[in-house]
Amino acid sequence: MADAYNVLIADDEREIISVLRMFLEKENIQVYEAYDGEMVAMVAANYPIDLAILDIMMPRMNGYDVLRRIRRESDIPVMILSAKVQLDDKVLGLELGADDYITKPFEPREVVARVKANLRRHARKENAASPVLTGGGMELDPACCTLRVNGRTVDLTRVELCMMELFLSQPGRVFTRDQLCRHAWEGGFVDDNTIRVAVSRLRDKIGNDRIKTIRGLGYRLEV
């Protein structure tokens, strides 16, 4: 990657941090370390962090609580790297605002690829001068990452912002899962369940009746 990025890895297994550090530094990515949940806040307060990788089962504060704290203050990409493989754990992480969920054991090269993809998406959204999109009492400003629904401001994750940008670009059009995947996740590493969870989370925020499931085809925003 052309630019130097700062990535925080929070995990009480130092061997995991060491392995990921070696692979990430080969990509010109600066790595900062935290070994428990409380250390994350201290590191983030002292260094500019572009992306965080969080374990769930950490001492002092678990990864879910750390994620909640990050989302109150920042929209940086957050990836969960955890040995918890149950669907409920993945769903909870995504609902709390994680951009990605990787289970242990993992392939370091895949983690690096996902880190780079999330950093590219975030940088592109920050630099884009996208027009304000409106429809059905909703107003989306992609540049400011804000959505207003009937005058009420709704907080969106990066993935939700990308989906709303696509839906509001052509209200009433059916978008396939592949199209959502390409726009919100750049077409990589996303299964159908992840997309369903993301759509469900977005429905909860803007109103369940606004996004319709078109069986066998995809999703449509009704305005």
Side-chain angles (χ1 to χ4, degrees):
M1 302 177 72
D3 298 322
Y5 289 98
N6 299 321
V7 169
L8 167 63
I9 305 176
D11 200 308
D12 58 339
E13 297 184 64
R14 301 195 181 205
E15 299 84 359
I16 287 178
I17 296 179
S18 178
V19 169
L20 290 178
R21 171 188 284 277
M22 179 176 63
F23 278 84
L24 287 168
E25 287 182 344
K26 290 180 180 178
E27 301 294 330
N28 194 32
I29 294 174
Q30 174 71 48
V31 174
Y32 295 95
E33 303 179 8
Y35 311 118
D36 60 58
E38 291 291 346
M39 280 187 69
V40 174
M42 291 187 290
V43 173
N46 289 282
Y47 301 98
I49 302 302
D50 300 302
L51 180 146
I53 301 174
L54 306 177
D55 183 25
I56 292 177
M57 296 179 289
M58 293 187 292
R60 300 180 71 187
M61 182 185 297
N62 67 49
Y64 292 137
D65 290 336
V66 173
L67 177 55
R68 290 186 181 96
R69 176 179 290 185
I70 290 175
R71 282 291 169 257
R72 286 197 296 266
E73 302 173 356
S74 173
D75 68 342
I76 64 168
V78 176
M79 300 168 56
I80 291 178
L81 184 63
S82 175
K84 297 174 77 67
V85 299
Q86 297 299 315
L87 177 60
D88 287 347
D89 297 312
K90 296 180 181 180
V91 170
L92 178 58
L94 294 170
E95 287 181 339
L96 291 176
D99 297 277
D100 208 345
Y101 194 112
I102 306 171
T103 56
K104 300 176 182 177
F106 59 87
E107 167 54 55
R109 290 175 298 173
E110 180 183 350
V111 176
V112 172
R114 295 193 187 199
V115 166
K116 292 168 67 177
N118 276 290
L119 288 170
R120 285 195 303 268
R121 285 193 294 265
H122 190 69
R124 187 163 57 246
K125 289 300 178 182
E126 284 193 327
N127 296 330
S130 302
V132 174
L133 301 171
T134 60
M138 294 179 287
E139 181 180 284
L140 177 70
D141 186 343
C144 296
C145 300
T146 58
L147 173 69
R148 296 182 65 81
V149 179
N150 296 326
R152 174 177 57 91
T153 299
V154 177
D155 293 328
L156 298 179
T157 66
R158 181 196 54 76
V159 168
E160 293 163 356
L161 174 71
C162 291
M163 290 195 297
M164 280 304 302
E165 187 176 15
L166 186 63
F167 282 133
L168 279 172
S169 68
Q170 298 184 63
R173 173 182 170 179
V174 177
F175 289 99
T176 67
R177 289 179 174 84
D178 285 344
Q179 288 170 324
L180 286 174
C181 183
R182 286 196 298 271
H183 191 77
W185 290 275
E186 288 192 342
F189 309 114
V190 179
D191 56 25
D192 286 347
N193 186 68
T194 298
I195 296 174
R196 285 195 296 269
V197 169
V199 170
S200 176
R201 189 171 63 236
L202 184 57
R203 282 175 172 146
D204 290 340
K205 293 185 177 183
I206 70 172
N208 288 327
D209 59 336
R210 292 180 181 268
I211 300 176
K212 301 296 185 182
T213 299
I214 310 302
R215 190 173 301 277
L217 293 176
Y219 301 95
R220 178 180 69 212
L221 177 69
E222 295 192 351
V223 297

